[in-house]
Amino acid sequence: AESERFEGEMWSWRLGDLDMIRTRSVQAAVGRRPLNTHEERVIMHMQWRGQGEHRQGRQEARLGPGDFIFGSPHEPYAFNLAPHEMMVVEFPRRALVERVPDLDDLLAKPLSGSTPAARVFSDFLLSLWRQARDGEGEDTAWGEGMSRIFYDLAAMAVHEAKRVSSSHAAPELQRRALALIDTHLADPDLRSA
């Protein structure tokens, strides 16, 4: 932490094939070494409170409340965090790739938490945390069922976040295309292609 005194809390639990952590701390820099396992896994961070800057490889992303990001736990990554609260879930890659085939293209890129699907996903994670905190939901079948719901809600949140971000990108692309056409309108080599 930036100050001499670090204050933070971390709770962890397992639900089905999900390894879940809820963190809360003062401003801090957090780093993680690569996970050494043969099973391909993915890690998701969902910012519940505060701001965070995520770095993995050459990618940098800023997260605000509700935003989430998927990364690879097999590569080092780091977070610079304001005072924050966050949910972290690590899970087998195959289960989400079945629902989000282009997952690799999304790694280390922020996804908006402002969509209805992302808010439902966040509420679901908070509910799972409450069940774990109260010592409920330790039944194996229940845990496996909740992990399936996790993957379905995560996929829905991802698809909606991609749709929203692409609809924001379209006007910018259109503006750039029109500016290029306007600049080169008198050019005889300008073609529709």
Side-chain angles (χ1 to χ4, degrees), residues 42 56 59 69-72 102-109:
V42 173
Q56 186 164 40
Q59 298 281 343
I69 192 165
F70 293 100
S72 171
D102 61 344
L103 180 63
D104 287 340
D105 297 337
L106 301 171
L107 294 180
K109 295 180 181 166

Side-chain angles (χ1 to χ4, degrees), residues 2 8 17 21 23 31 42 44 47 51 57 66 70 73 77 85 94 97 107-108 110-111 121 149 159 167-168 183 188:
E2 297 244 344
D17 59 2
I21 300 171
T23 66
V42 173
M44 183 210 72
Q47 192 86 30
Q51 303 285 324
F70 293 100
Y77 65 85
E85 196 166 343
R94 66 173 159 58
V97 168
L107 294 180
L111 296 164
F121 184 40
I149 293 170
H159 293 306
S167 69
H168 289 320
T183 302

